[in-house]
Amino acid sequence: MDTLESRELRYFMAVAEELHFGRAAERLGMAQPPLSRAIQQLERRLGVRLLERNRRGVSLTAAGEVLLYEGRAALDAATAAARRTRRAGGADGPGGSRNRLVLAVKAAASHELLQKILGAYAAEPGAAEIEVLPSGMCEQEDMLRDGRADVALMHAPFNSLAGFDSEELMTEGQIAVLPAGHPLAARKTLSMADVTDVPDLPHARWPRNGGYPPGPGPEIHDQTQLAQLIALGRTMAVFPESARAWLWAEHAAVPVVDAPPVVTHIAWPAHSRSIALAGLVRTATRL
């Protein structure tokens, strides 16, 4: 048996992520007994044990770990196919537009570059409508994989380009964004050592892989929250040089001379055959 149904994958994913049949059944909106039977049937069809069940709870076998990883990718691919198909047919846009691309960007990053790309592409004959979709830290990857976006501006080394086609657009240094009144704000330059473990100014923490990294800094949900907390003297952050575009008067930006350079790429799914997307990429790489 070499095929899996999306329903089976969703059932298994819920149990594998919750590691509890009761919570998984509640999440799926179904009773626990039919969920248990469905997982047992899936194991019989595959000929492997996916879950270990005992009095202490549920755990994944080695085979279950593989299906969890592969299943996520498969469901993302199916969701992406549906979303992009609806977008291509105009089913999800006002007026039934049949020529639209969704461009995912990190909120407030590469502002000047983005304006140039949008302006240059809009001047191209037959240009598609571009919907700009702001995202949080490192969310562009998920948006490309699950079909919420067709193309993205991504920033190495923060974003992973694995599995995507991409073209390099710009390389820039990094700056420390600080409260304007902080002593470090008076410096001409800073080093990474200078901005690491500053007792009164912990680094802001962005969500990654569904959670926040450990640390004393505040958990950040969006760019506006970050800007306010920096202005209030509660946190700091290191950003690409282009972040100067969103700074407030209460902020200071100091170059961090030994921070790794940030390379902005335009990235898209490797299997894409969109003519409109190819045109946008050509325009971006010419700038």
Side-chain angles (χ1 to χ4, degrees), residues 87-107:
R87 195 150 56 236
D92 68 343
S97 172
R98 292 181 175 270
N99 200 18
R100 185 166 67 94
L101 293 173
V102 175
L103 170 61
V105 298
K106 188 170 73 176

PDB file of all heavy atoms in Angstrom, residues 87-107:
ATOM      1  N   ARG A  87      -6.399  30.542  -6.383  1.00  0.00           N
ATOM      2  CA  ARG A  87      -5.895  31.868  -6.727  1.00  0.00           C
ATOM      3  C   ARG A  87      -5.757  32.020  -8.240  1.00  0.00           C
ATOM      4  O   ARG A  87      -6.088  33.054  -8.810  1.00  0.00           O
ATOM      5  CB  ARG A  87      -4.554  32.087  -6.029  1.00  0.00           C
ATOM      6  CG  ARG A  87      -4.106  33.528  -6.003  1.00  0.00           C
ATOM      7  CD  ARG A  87      -3.253  33.827  -4.779  1.00  0.00           C
ATOM      8  NE  ARG A  87      -2.096  32.986  -4.635  1.00  0.00           N
ATOM      9  CZ  ARG A  87      -1.834  32.244  -3.549  1.00  0.00           C
ATOM     10  NH1 ARG A  87      -2.675  32.226  -2.533  1.00  0.00           N
ATOM     11  NH2 ARG A  87      -0.745  31.502  -3.477  1.00  0.00           N
ATOM     12  N   ALA A  88      -5.260  30.970  -8.897  1.00  0.00           N
ATOM     13  CA  ALA A  88      -5.092  31.027 -10.354  1.00  0.00           C
ATOM     14  C   ALA A  88      -6.430  31.166 -11.060  1.00  0.00           C
ATOM     15  O   ALA A  88      -6.532  31.800 -12.116  1.00  0.00           O
ATOM     16  CB  ALA A  88      -4.376  29.771 -10.843  1.00  0.00           C
ATOM     17  N   GLY A  89      -7.486  30.579 -10.463  1.00  0.00           N
ATOM     18  CA  GLY A  89      -8.802  30.665 -11.076  1.00  0.00           C
ATOM     19  C   GLY A  89      -9.630  31.838 -10.607  1.00  0.00           C
ATOM     20  O   GLY A  89     -10.779  31.995 -11.015  1.00  0.00           O
ATOM     21  N   GLY A  90      -9.073  32.652  -9.730  1.00  0.00           N
ATOM     22  CA  GLY A  90      -9.778  33.837  -9.261  1.00  0.00           C
ATOM     23  C   GLY A  90     -10.831  33.561  -8.217  1.00  0.00           C
ATOM     24  O   GLY A  90     -11.643  34.433  -7.897  1.00  0.00           O
ATOM     25  N   ALA A  91     -10.832  32.339  -7.631  1.00  0.00           N
ATOM     26  CA  ALA A  91     -11.886  31.985  -6.679  1.00  0.00           C
ATOM     27  C   ALA A  91     -11.718  32.652  -5.331  1.00  0.00           C
ATOM     28  O   ALA A  91     -12.658  32.685  -4.544  1.00  0.00           O
ATOM     29  CB  ALA A  91     -11.935  30.463  -6.499  1.00  0.00           C
ATOM     30  N   ASP A  92     -10.527  33.172  -5.029  1.00  0.00           N
ATOM     31  CA  ASP A  92     -10.308  33.756  -3.702  1.00  0.00           C
ATOM     32  C   ASP A  92     -10.036  35.247  -3.755  1.00  0.00           C
ATOM     33  O   ASP A  92      -9.605  35.842  -2.774  1.00  0.00           O
ATOM     34  CB  ASP A  92      -9.135  33.060  -2.997  1.00  0.00           C
ATOM     35  CG  ASP A  92      -7.796  33.358  -3.677  1.00  0.00           C
ATOM     36  OD1 ASP A  92      -7.811  33.812  -4.836  1.00  0.00           O
ATOM     37  OD2 ASP A  92      -6.759  33.146  -3.046  1.00  0.00           O
ATOM     38  N   GLY A  93     -10.287  35.873  -4.917  1.00  0.00           N
ATOM     39  CA  GLY A  93      -9.986  37.301  -5.038  1.00  0.00           C
ATOM     40  C   GLY A  93     -11.204  38.099  -5.437  1.00  0.00           C
ATOM     41  O   GLY A  93     -12.111  37.589  -6.101  1.00  0.00           O
ATOM     42  N   PRO A  94     -11.285  39.378  -5.034  1.00  0.00           N
ATOM     43  CA  PRO A  94     -12.412  40.227  -5.418  1.00  0.00           C
ATOM     44  C   PRO A  94     -12.439  40.421  -6.929  1.00  0.00           C
ATOM     45  O   PRO A  94     -11.417  40.647  -7.568  1.00  0.00           O
ATOM     46  CB  PRO A  94     -12.128  41.547  -4.684  1.00  0.00           C
ATOM     47  CG  PRO A  94     -10.661  41.536  -4.413  1.00  0.00           C
ATOM     48  CD  PRO A  94     -10.293  40.097  -4.221  1.00  0.00           C
ATOM     49  N   GLY A  95     -13.632  40.292  -7.497  1.00  0.00           N
ATOM     50  CA  GLY A  95     -13.759  40.491  -8.934  1.00  0.00           C
ATOM     51  C   GLY A  95     -13.256  39.331  -9.760  1.00  0.00           C
ATOM     52  O   GLY A  95     -13.228  39.397 -10.987  1.00  0.00           O
ATOM     53  N   GLY A  96     -12.831  38.236  -9.095  1.00  0.00           N
ATOM     54  CA  GLY A  96     -12.386  37.070  -9.852  1.00  0.00           C
ATOM     55  C   GLY A  96     -11.124  37.309 -10.653  1.00  0.00           C
ATOM     56  O   GLY A  96     -10.980  36.813 -11.766  1.00  0.00           O
ATOM     57  N   SER A  97     -10.171  38.075 -10.092  1.00  0.00           N
ATOM     58  CA  SER A  97      -8.925  38.327 -10.811  1.00  0.00           C
ATOM     59  C   SER A  97      -8.199  37.021 -11.103  1.00  0.00           C
ATOM     60  O   SER A  97      -8.042  36.167 -10.246  1.00  0.00           O
ATOM     61  CB  SER A  97      -8.006  39.226  -9.965  1.00  0.00           C
ATOM     62  OG  SER A  97      -6.736  39.325 -10.565  1.00  0.00           O
ATOM     63  N   ARG A  98      -7.748  36.851 -12.359  1.00  0.00           N
ATOM     64  CA  ARG A  98      -7.088  35.604 -12.754  1.00  0.00           C
ATOM     65  C   ARG A  98      -5.579  35.773 -12.889  1.00  0.00           C
ATOM     66  O   ARG A  98      -4.911  34.884 -13.395  1.00  0.00           O
ATOM     67  CB  ARG A  98      -7.673  35.099 -14.074  1.00  0.00           C
ATOM     68  CG  ARG A  98      -9.107  34.636 -13.950  1.00  0.00           C
ATOM     69  CD  ARG A  98      -9.636  34.124 -15.279  1.00  0.00           C
ATOM     70  NE  ARG A  98     -10.966  33.575 -15.121  1.00  0.00           N
ATOM     71  CZ  ARG A  98     -11.230  32.311 -14.837  1.00  0.00           C
ATOM     72  NH1 ARG A  98     -10.229  31.461 -14.676  1.00  0.00           N
ATOM     73  NH2 ARG A  98     -12.461  31.867 -14.708  1.00  0.00           N
ATOM     74  N   ASN A  99      -5.058  36.883 -12.466  1.00  0.00           N
ATOM     75  CA  ASN A  99      -3.637  37.128 -12.665  1.00  0.00           C
ATOM     76  C   ASN A  99      -3.091  37.824 -11.418  1.00  0.00           C
ATOM     77  O   ASN A  99      -2.866  39.020 -11.413  1.00  0.00           O
ATOM     78  CB  ASN A  99      -3.415  37.988 -13.904  1.00  0.00           C
ATOM     79  CG  ASN A  99      -2.000  37.872 -14.444  1.00  0.00           C
ATOM     80  OD1 ASN A  99      -1.286  36.927 -14.122  1.00  0.00           O
ATOM     81  ND2 ASN A  99      -1.609  38.814 -15.267  1.00  0.00           N
ATOM     82  N   ARG A 100      -2.893  37.037 -10.362  1.00  0.00           N
ATOM     83  CA  ARG A 100      -2.526  37.619  -9.072  1.00  0.00           C
ATOM     84  C   ARG A 100      -1.454  36.767  -8.414  1.00  0.00           C
ATOM     85  O   ARG A 100      -1.490  35.539  -8.478  1.00  0.00           O
ATOM     86  CB  ARG A 100      -3.762  37.685  -8.157  1.00  0.00           C
ATOM     87  CG  ARG A 100      -3.528  38.373  -6.824  1.00  0.00           C
ATOM     88  CD  ARG A 100      -4.857  38.691  -6.163  1.00  0.00           C
ATOM     89  NE  ARG A 100      -5.567  37.487  -5.770  1.00  0.00           N
ATOM     90  CZ  ARG A 100      -5.495  36.946  -4.554  1.00  0.00           C
ATOM     91  NH1 ARG A 100      -4.723  37.489  -3.631  1.00  0.00           N
ATOM     92  NH2 ARG A 100      -6.172  35.867  -4.260  1.00  0.00           N
ATOM     93  N   LEU A 101      -0.486  37.441  -7.792  1.00  0.00           N
ATOM     94  CA  LEU A 101       0.570  36.778  -7.043  1.00  0.00           C
ATOM     95  C   LEU A 101       0.573  37.312  -5.622  1.00  0.00           C
ATOM     96  O   LEU A 101       0.369  38.510  -5.397  1.00  0.00           O
ATOM     97  CB  LEU A 101       1.943  37.038  -7.673  1.00  0.00           C
ATOM     98  CG  LEU A 101       2.225  36.450  -9.050  1.00  0.00           C
ATOM     99  CD1 LEU A 101       3.560  36.975  -9.569  1.00  0.00           C
ATOM    100  CD2 LEU A 101       2.233  34.925  -8.995  1.00  0.00           C
ATOM    101  N   VAL A 102       0.838  36.439  -4.660  1.00  0.00           N
ATOM    102  CA  VAL A 102       0.978  36.851  -3.263  1.00  0.00           C
ATOM    103  C   VAL A 102       2.458  36.819  -2.910  1.00  0.00           C
ATOM    104  O   VAL A 102       3.125  35.784  -3.043  1.00  0.00           O
ATOM    105  CB  VAL A 102       0.181  35.927  -2.323  1.00  0.00           C
ATOM    106  CG1 VAL A 102       0.436  36.312  -0.867  1.00  0.00           C
ATOM    107  CG2 VAL A 102      -1.309  36.018  -2.634  1.00  0.00           C
ATOM    108  N   LEU A 103       2.971  37.965  -2.477  1.00  0.00           N
ATOM    109  CA  LEU A 103       4.384  38.134  -2.129  1.00  0.00           C
ATOM    110  C   LEU A 103       4.507  38.273  -0.619  1.00  0.00           C
ATOM    111  O   LEU A 103       4.014  39.237  -0.030  1.00  0.00           O
ATOM    112  CB  LEU A 103       4.942  39.380  -2.828  1.00  0.00           C
ATOM    113  CG  LEU A 103       6.328  39.866  -2.421  1.00  0.00           C
ATOM    114  CD1 LEU A 103       7.392  38.806  -2.686  1.00  0.00           C
ATOM    115  CD2 LEU A 103       6.680  41.164  -3.144  1.00  0.00           C
ATOM    116  N   ALA A 104       5.145  37.304   0.035  1.00  0.00           N
ATOM    117  CA  ALA A 104       5.343  37.342   1.484  1.00  0.00           C
ATOM    118  C   ALA A 104       6.625  38.102   1.805  1.00  0.00           C
ATOM    119  O   ALA A 104       7.674  37.856   1.206  1.00  0.00           O
ATOM    120  CB  ALA A 104       5.415  35.934   2.053  1.00  0.00           C
ATOM    121  N   VAL A 105       6.538  39.019   2.757  1.00  0.00           N
ATOM    122  CA  VAL A 105       7.702  39.798   3.172  1.00  0.00           C
ATOM    123  C   VAL A 105       7.716  39.881   4.688  1.00  0.00           C
ATOM    124  O   VAL A 105       6.668  39.861   5.336  1.00  0.00           O
ATOM    125  CB  VAL A 105       7.686  41.226   2.583  1.00  0.00           C
ATOM    126  CG1 VAL A 105       7.732  41.190   1.075  1.00  0.00           C
ATOM    127  CG2 VAL A 105       6.462  42.003   3.055  1.00  0.00           C
ATOM    128  N   LYS A 106       8.900  39.938   5.267  1.00  0.00           N
ATOM    129  CA  LYS A 106       8.990  40.183   6.705  1.00  0.00           C
ATOM    130  C   LYS A 106       8.600  41.622   6.974  1.00  0.00           C
ATOM    131  O   LYS A 106       9.092  42.538   6.301  1.00  0.00           O
ATOM    132  CB  LYS A 106      10.397  39.895   7.211  1.00  0.00           C
ATOM    133  CG  LYS A 106      10.517  39.953   8.731  1.00  0.00           C
ATOM    134  CD  LYS A 106      11.849  39.433   9.208  1.00  0.00           C
ATOM    135  CE  LYS A 106      12.959  40.410   8.902  1.00  0.00           C
ATOM    136  NZ  LYS A 106      14.253  39.950   9.448  1.00  0.00           N
ATOM    137  N   ALA A 107       7.706  41.834   7.910  1.00  0.00           N
ATOM    138  CA  ALA A 107       7.185  43.165   8.186  1.00  0.00           C
ATOM    139  C   ALA A 107       8.322  44.170   8.384  1.00  0.00           C
ATOM    140  O   ALA A 107       9.229  43.946   9.173  1.00  0.00           O
ATOM    141  CB  ALA A 107       6.290  43.135   9.418  1.00  0.00           C
TER     142      ALA A 107
END
